[in-house]
Amino acid sequence: MRSFRNIAGLASVAICAVATAPALAAAEPVSFRIPAQSMQSALTLFARQSGIQILFPYDQVAGLHAQSVNGRMAPGVALSRLIAGTDLKITLSSNEVIALSLARQPKRARAVEVASLSVTSLPVAMQASAAAATAPQVSSAAADDEEGAAIVVTGSRGQPRTITDSPTPIDVISGADLERTGKAGVFQALNTLVPSFNLPVRAGGATATVIATGGLRGLNPDQTLILVNGKRRHKTSLINAVSAVYNGSVPSDLDMIPVSAIDHIEVLRDGAAAQYGSDAIAGVINIILKDDAKGGSAGFTAGQNFDRSDGELYQADLNFGMALGDNGFANFSVNMKKQEMSNRALPISPNVNLYPLVNGQRDPREATIDRLTTISYGVMPSRSINTGLNAGYDVGDVHLYAFGTYSQRRSDLWYSFRPPNDVNSVLEIYPNGYRPHVKIDEEDFEFILGAKGVVAGWDWDFSTGFGRNRARQSSEGTVNPSLGPAGPTEFYIGTLKSSEFVTSLDLTRGFDVGGGNLQVSAGAQHRRERYQTFEGDPNSYAIGPFYRAGQTPGAQSSAGFQPQDAARMTRNNLAAYADVAWDPTKDITIGAAARFEHYDDDSGNTLIWKVNGRYAATDWLAVRAAANTGFRAPAVAQQIYSQTTNQFRTINGIANTLVQIKTLPVESTAAIALGAEPLTPEKSFNISGGVVLTPFPNFSLTVDAFQIDVDDRIVITSTLSGNAISNILIANGIPGNLSAQYYTNAIDTRTRGIDVVASYKHDLFDVATMQWNLGYNYNKTKITHIIGNPPELSAVNFELFDRFSRSNLTVNLPHTKLSISNVTTAGDFTLSTRLTRFGGFNNLMNPVMVAGVATYPNDRYYGPKWITDLELTWQVTPLVSVAVGSNNLFNVYPDAVGQVSPTLGQGLYGGQSPFGFTGGSYYARVGLNF
């Protein structure tokens, strides 16, 4: 009966259209550029390019392949070419609607599909959203009904394809998927939704805790390129300089983009530096912004942790669109977030002395002081507001577009408690000890302006954009112990600033070659990068008159940037690329790309390439493979960054030893004295192969294996400590008892792995619809080569890249991640459930010598864990919805095998846990659609 009503509804549309519209053959010619691909996605592209609605039986055309159509012609002629050789026939044609049916008898009936386009004219937003049909019983949402039919633009310049038609693996994450996670930002949501993406919830010490860092396929965050609407995103100014995992990386911070602005995210899991440039060794994350010209949404979310009722999270978001006359649109977004502190430290033993002894006896205050000395062993507090704009306007045949974001964020980093008997305490100021904390005030801005059109059959796109991140650091509730009782308790630490100016020209055109479609693309790009560090208050780094042995002078938590740390570097990059994709038949796709890059610093010149292919052996089985070379130029920040921070390290087998670590600019005299050399680009070779299975409607399965070799990886050295290192630093103008580290091209690595992604949608007893998704990732990195110790370090018997540093690259992240999710919709209710298994990880430390024998008492091993997430949404009215949910529903923690500090009470859990160590949380959300 439902199928009969659908057919009847379609017939009524057909009768009305035939009666009121002129013949399709008389329609004006349109420029078409549709590559050979699956019929479902080709019809969606035809609808977009012609502006005509297409009605067709969706499941019945599954397995059919469309012919390529290129050039300017009447829509009727184009459609006839598109469906040539199939059993499809046109049963209705007008200037407003076309209906197709199959000449053969279908095996089973299903709702008719509507293929149409939203009002946007931005080609980067090719994720099709079906318009509401005029007949009440006609189904819609072609792109959403089957994941494999989602149209993507990442990885194939100028040639949109479906996920299953793509010659390289791509994940598509919708804005609704991001919202349903209940997570605090884009990166945390991706960690839940993309199996090959790994994000330690707490990345490490100092500013590394602030940076939302996550990597694809076991590689570093800055080895994945971030795009917004297909344009390169600028990097953060904060540097991941003293953390364990992802140490030394300089990524883009996706949490500066409002979640409410995101239509969907395309994650390309394959090397793509030849197409997009530096950084795309592991893949590309392309964020597609919303482009609705009317309506909008608003929401408010609040939640907190189960345990200790801490970690409160409040989020408010707004998105709305408006038309700009008859030819344009503007879409605005705002996100506000407030994250409170969480803490999982334990009270320290009552036998531990916090005060100095009084005449050889314990101070009476030991019995009254709060023994929970650490209050920040968990998620740090932050406040942020993110805004976004996406706009477009047609001027004749030229489309003008603009998009951008503006964000402010304050992060509050609380450091470990300094007890009264600590050598760095000043009892006259803090008689009961103190907890220093650093406030980081960030301002992040990016704006892109461009135009696109068609000239002589070539699609052109010219854009220019500017992005900047500025981070001002100050320290409060602290002291510089060397300044004594009269010293200040607040310090200005310094400011970091990173900016990028990018101008691009892209050209693409389709040609009919050998009965198939040949897509030719080319372009050029100029990028100007600048990084600056500004010195802090002299008191923040001074070695004052009260200095004594054992102290770490300077502001506790983070010593200020010194005059010699203040630096500025500007670099220019010129690039040119060519990219071709040929579909000689409906079953074969062959692609190739080459790119030349020139840098005006030590990075020099690079020529890289990529080839890929796909072959559909049957209607339900395809194989695909790719090979490419890639590179990542050293970030400007990695070349000039310099600062002194206080960190707890395991030194000579003694855990939680407070040391001052000086990160040295690689070309400074001190770094050279320790063996540093100028940085050169990382180079990669990536091969992958996989299969795509679509054996029945609404089901797809992809399996892809990969191997990524990266030579000359840029890493930060081990923490170089001791009198010999201090003497070298002092001899080169850096006083104090400091440890040191610097960036270097130290290692070669090989990462091997496999990705499995499956999707299935079906009805349940005609009362509910269920969408299943499964994702699995396995990756393992091994170090294939480590450079020898420079003579400067060999003389003092230090290891440039020690066991601890090596383990952070190879075993301190899970090798496996499995995710099984289900979204069930029944009437006004939607239940979203997700089960994720994070594999185990190991924290390996440097050996402790006992009687000349190396022992490893500080090694820690963490087993795999299952995490369950759940959300129930009720669509109260068409305008209002409410949701309740939980992340980590069963309150799972990492294995409690860490080494707890006797004076701090922290260290019980692995700080690099992929799901954190604060247990489960719950939240509620109210949404409004208008």
Side-chain angles (χ1 to χ4, degrees):
M1 288 299 295
R2 185 178 65 176
S3 300
F4 177 81
R5 289 195 300 269
N6 288 329
I7 296 172
L10 174 59
S12 65
V13 174
I15 295 171
C16 293
V18 170
T20 60
L24 184 63
E28 292 293 326
V30 177
S31 293
F32 289 96
R33 181 165 48 83
I34 305 175
Q37 57 190 283
S38 71
M39 185 62 69
Q40 295 159 330
S41 59
L43 291 174
T44 302
L45 289 179
F46 176 87
R48 178 178 290 276
Q49 295 175 18
S50 66
I52 301 174
Q53 276 195 340
I54 303 291
L55 294 90
F56 62 96
Y58 190 75
D59 278 357
Q60 295 171 26
V61 304
L64 298 183
H65 288 265
Q67 303 295 322
S68 62
V69 177
N70 292 281
R72 188 172 179 83
M73 64 193 75
V77 175
L79 184 58
S80 297
R81 293 186 182 183
L82 198 71
I83 64 176
T86 71
D87 291 325
L88 282 172
K89 64 179 182 178
I90 301 173
T91 56
L92 159 68
S93 62
S94 76
N95 280 351
E96 297 178 353
V97 62
I98 298 174
L100 303 177
S101 65
L102 278 172
R104 57 182 168 84
Q105 197 70 14
K107 294 181 180 179
R108 59 187 179 89
R110 188 191 166 217
V112 175
E113 191 67 40
V114 178
S116 66
L117 221 161
S118 59
V119 297
T120 178
S121 56
L122 275 178
V124 293
M126 296 292 284
Q127 174 83 23
S129 58
T134 54
Q137 299 299 328
V138 178
S139 175
S140 63
D144 296 331
D145 193 60
E146 182 181 357
E147 183 178 336
I151 304 299
V152 295
V153 296
T154 309
S156 184
R157 287 187 177 272
Q159 187 165 313
R161 298 180 183 272
T162 68
I163 294 175
T164 51
D165 284 338
S166 172
T168 49
I170 298 178
D171 299 315
V172 175
I173 309 299
S174 71
D177 292 332
L178 296 174
E179 182 181 75
R180 279 193 293 262
T181 65
K183 296 292 187 178
V186 178
F187 266 132
Q188 288 192 32
L190 287 179
N191 188 44
T192 300
L193 298 171
V194 180
S196 59
F197 187 83
N198 199 300
L199 171 74
V201 174
R202 189 169 184 253
T207 58
T209 306
V210 176
I211 307 170
T213 53
L216 278 176
R217 289 184 161 181
L219 297 183
N220 274 356
D222 53 9
Q223 292 169 326
T224 297
L225 178 62
I226 304 300
L227 305 175
V228 177
N229 280 353
K231 308 298 181 183
R232 176 183 286 266
R233 178 79 176 177
H234 69 280
K235 294 180 173 63
T236 178
S237 63
L238 296 171
I239 193 165
N240 207 17
V242 292
S243 66
V245 175
Y246 302 143
N247 198 356
S249 62
V250 187
S252 297
D253 194 336
L254 285 186
D255 282 351
M256 291 296 190
I257 299 174
V259 177
S260 60
I262 298 174
D263 180 83
H264 67 281
I265 300 176
E266 299 175 0
V267 181
L268 170 63
R269 293 177 276 113
D270 190 60
Q275 296 168 295
Y276 297 104
S278 175
D279 306 344
I281 288 178
V284 175
I285 297 177
N286 189 10
I287 296 180
I288 309 299
L289 302 179
K290 292 179 180 177
D291 51 20
D292 300 319
K294 61 179 180 179
S297 62
F300 178 76
T301 304
Q304 66 178 20
N305 294 325
F306 293 152
D307 296 335
R308 305 195 189 185
S309 297
D310 61 5
E312 295 91 341
L313 175 65
Y314 307 97
Q315 295 190 94
D317 57 81
L318 172 68
N319 172 265
F320 66 94
M322 58 182 292
L324 300 178
D326 295 329
N327 300 318
F329 74 95
N331 191 274
F332 302 91
S333 301
V334 178
N335 274 120
M336 292 180 287
K337 181 176 73 173
K338 181 180 181 181
Q339 173 72 67
E340 299 291 9
M341 183 187 298
S342 58
N343 181 39
R344 294 299 175 267
L346 302 175
I348 64 172
S349 168
N351 298 323
V352 174
N353 290 334
L354 298 176
Y355 292 92
L357 296 177
V358 180
N359 298 322
Q361 301 298 316
R362 298 190 79 197
D363 191 301
R365 289 174 293 179
E366 297 284 3
T368 59
I369 191 172
D370 186 357
R371 312 301 287 188
L372 186 63
T373 58
T374 297
I375 63 171
S376 57
Y377 181 52
V379 177
M380 299 291 182
S382 65
R383 312 283 188 272
S384 65
I385 179 169
N386 301 334
T387 62
L389 165 69
N390 190 24
Y393 195 86
D394 293 327
V395 180
D397 294 331
V398 176
H399 176 72
L400 304 178
Y401 62 88
F403 59 90
T405 60
Y406 178 80
S407 303
Q408 290 186 351
R409 178 172 66 191
R410 164 168 282 192
S411 304
D412 201 356
L413 306 184
W414 288 78
Y415 284 68
S416 298
F417 179 66
R418 272 48 166 182
N421 61 5
D422 190 275
V423 68
N424 293 302
S425 286
V426 180
L427 296 179
E428 293 84 352
I429 300 177
Y430 296 113
N432 297 310
Y434 62 101
R435 295 181 179 90
H437 59 113
V438 171
K439 290 188 175 180
I440 302 177
D441 292 298
E442 288 183 82
E443 181 184 58
D444 191 271
F445 167 84
E446 180 162 283
F447 187 74
I448 308 292
L449 182 66
K452 58 181 65 178
V454 180
V455 172
W458 287 85
D459 290 340
W460 59 270
D461 183 344
F462 179 79
S463 66
T464 187
F466 178 76
R468 186 187 72 182
N469 179 272
R470 176 189 59 79
R472 184 185 189 278
Q473 302 180 41
S474 58
S475 184
E476 299 179 2
T478 185
V479 295
N480 179 344
S482 70
L483 297 180
T489 59
E490 297 183 4
F491 303 89
Y492 166 58
I493 302 301
T495 296
L496 303 173
K497 186 184 294 185
S498 176
S499 63
E500 296 184 27
F501 200 117
V502 183
T503 301
S504 302
L505 174 64
D506 299 298
L507 304 170
T508 186
R509 182 176 180 177
F511 298 89
D512 285 318
V513 176
N517 179 72
L518 175 67
Q519 194 74 28
V520 179
S521 303
Q525 184 179 88
H526 171 257
R527 186 167 78 253
R528 183 177 179 85
E529 301 170 282
R530 172 176 289 183
Y531 191 80
Q532 295 174 272
T533 58
F534 299 87
E535 67 180 278
D537 175 0
N539 285 330
S540 68
Y541 55 80
I543 301 178
F546 291 85
Y547 173 76
R548 65 183 188 270
Q551 277 186 350
T552 53
Q556 293 304 291
S557 67
S558 182
F561 290 96
Q562 302 179 29
Q564 61 265 34
D565 296 332
R568 181 178 69 179
M569 179 178 174
T570 300
R571 177 174 70 183
N572 289 284
N573 163 249
L574 294 172
Y577 75 89
D579 188 350
V580 296
W582 185 35
D583 298 279
T585 72
K586 63 183 178 61
D587 298 324
I588 298 175
T589 298
I590 303 171
R595 188 181 189 95
F596 176 78
E597 299 254 357
H598 166 73
Y599 288 85
D600 62 4
D601 65 354
D602 290 330
S603 300
N605 301 326
T606 302
L607 178 64
I608 53 177
W609 54 266
K610 178 175 182 175
V611 293
N612 58 47
R614 180 184 183 274
Y615 172 62
T618 69
D619 290 342
W620 56 271
L621 171 64
V623 294
R624 58 190 180 189
N628 63 80
T629 59
F631 78 106
R632 188 187 76 82
V636 179
Q638 291 175 324
Q639 301 184 60
I640 69 169
Y641 179 81
S642 177
Q643 192 188 12
T644 303
T645 57
N646 300 327
Q647 292 293 310
F648 287 95
R649 287 284 190 265
T650 299
I651 303 296
N652 298 325
I654 302 174
N656 296 300
T657 301
L658 182 64
V659 295
Q660 276 197 317
I661 302 175
K662 180 76 172 182
T663 301
L664 300 170
V666 68
E667 297 187 7
S668 66
T669 57
I672 294 172
L674 292 173
E677 296 181 356
L679 297 177
T680 60
E682 301 174 341
K683 300 177 179 64
S684 68
F685 178 66
N686 187 327
I687 56 173
S688 62
V691 296
V692 179
L693 300 170
T694 54
F696 49 88
N698 297 325
F699 175 83
S700 65
L701 170 67
T702 64
V703 181
D704 294 276
F706 59 89
Q707 175 177 295
I708 308 171
D709 291 311
V710 186
D711 294 338
D712 302 324
R713 281 187 68 163
I714 299 171
V715 295
I716 246 179
T717 65
S718 309
T719 302
L720 308 174
S721 302
N723 292 332
I725 298 299
S726 296
N727 291 336
I728 293 176
L729 296 177
I730 291 171
N732 287 273
I734 301 177
N737 185 25
L738 299 178
S739 300
Q741 59 184 17
Y742 58 84
Y743 286 92
T744 182
N745 296 93
I747 60 173
D748 301 340
T749 64
R750 170 169 290 173
T751 301
R752 287 176 171 167
I754 188 170
D755 292 325
V756 180
V757 177
S759 175
Y760 179 50
K761 186 173 183 178
H762 64 93
D763 292 335
L764 182 65
F765 305 120
D766 290 328
V767 298
T769 300
M770 304 187 79
Q771 173 69 56
W772 294 90
N773 291 285
L774 178 144
Y776 173 78
N777 170 259
Y778 165 83
N779 70 81
K780 184 177 182 180
T781 297
K782 71 175 183 178
I783 298 173
T784 57
H785 175 71
I786 302 177
I787 63 174
N789 268 11
E792 295 84 352
L793 291 183
S794 298
V796 294
N797 194 29
F798 272 98
E799 194 172 8
L800 183 70
F801 202 65
D802 58 22
R803 183 175 184 260
F804 171 72
S805 301
R806 296 193 300 269
S807 74
N808 287 329
L809 278 173
T810 56
V811 297
N812 210 354
L813 289 173
H815 291 319
T816 61
K817 184 161 71 169
L818 170 67
S819 176
I820 305 171
S821 66
N822 174 269
V823 179
T824 300
T825 302
D828 296 329
F829 293 90
T830 299
L831 178 65
S832 174
T833 55
R834 183 171 50 253
L835 186 63
T836 306
R837 181 190 184 274
F838 294 96
F841 61 98
N842 304 326
N843 190 0
L844 306 183
M845 307 301 291
N846 291 326
V848 176
M849 304 304 295
V850 178
V853 178
T855 62
Y856 303 94
N858 297 312
D859 288 354
R860 294 294 180 267
Y861 302 90
Y862 300 90
K865 298 294 180 182
W866 290 89
I867 304 299
T868 305
D869 304 326
L870 177 147
E871 179 182 288
L872 177 64
T873 303
W874 176 29
Q875 194 69 43
V876 183
T877 73
L879 298 180
V880 179
S881 64
V882 295
V884 293
S886 172
N887 285 307
N888 195 350
L889 178 64
F890 297 109
N891 203 29
V892 176
Y893 280 77
D895 292 334
V897 297
Q899 187 171 12
V900 180
S901 167
T903 58
L904 301 174
Q906 64 188 39
L908 182 64
Y909 304 109
Q912 289 74 49
S913 169
F915 55 90
F917 55 90
T918 57
S921 63
Y922 59 90
Y923 63 90
R925 183 177 63 251
V926 177
L928 175 66
N929 293 309
F930 52 87

